Amino acid sequence: MIGLYFEIRLPKKALYLVGEVLVSRYLVGIGLALIFAFLVPLEPLLRTSLVLICVAPMPTFSVINCVKAGMDEETVGFTSSASILISLLLMTLVMLLMT
């Protein structure tokens, strides 16, 4: 799915929106992951699964729905592709730290 609507050159306004969406998504995700990892008493496998879900990439369906709703394809595609790359790194880090 990386590159469905991937466009490297985006206007500054679009880059600001992408940054805002990704920062808010990963701040909330990392916050929930920390809660699941350290505060909620769960068995280790379930804990690891929930933490991975918290840092997983945005669903593919969000791209399709955003484009159908009239959003700019390049911006939505770039955000989704960036989310996949960031989540890949975060999920690898989680697996290294939790196992």
Side-chain angles (χ1 to χ4, degrees), residues 28-87:
V28 170
I30 290 171
L32 286 173
L34 290 172
I35 290 171
F36 287 134
F38 298 113
L39 298 178
V40 179
L42 299 169
E43 57 185 75
L45 181 61
L46 182 58
R47 180 180 313 196
T48 302
S49 299
L50 289 172
V51 171
L52 285 172
I53 289 170
C54 289
V55 295
M58 291 183 215
T60 303
F61 297 116
S62 67
V63 173
I64 296 166
N65 289 332
C66 288
V67 171
K68 286 179 91 174
M71 297 294 295
D72 183 41
E73 290 116 0
E74 290 84 13
T75 305
V76 173
F78 183 84
T79 305
S80 176
S81 297
S83 169
I84 291 169
L85 295 173
I86 293 167
S87 291

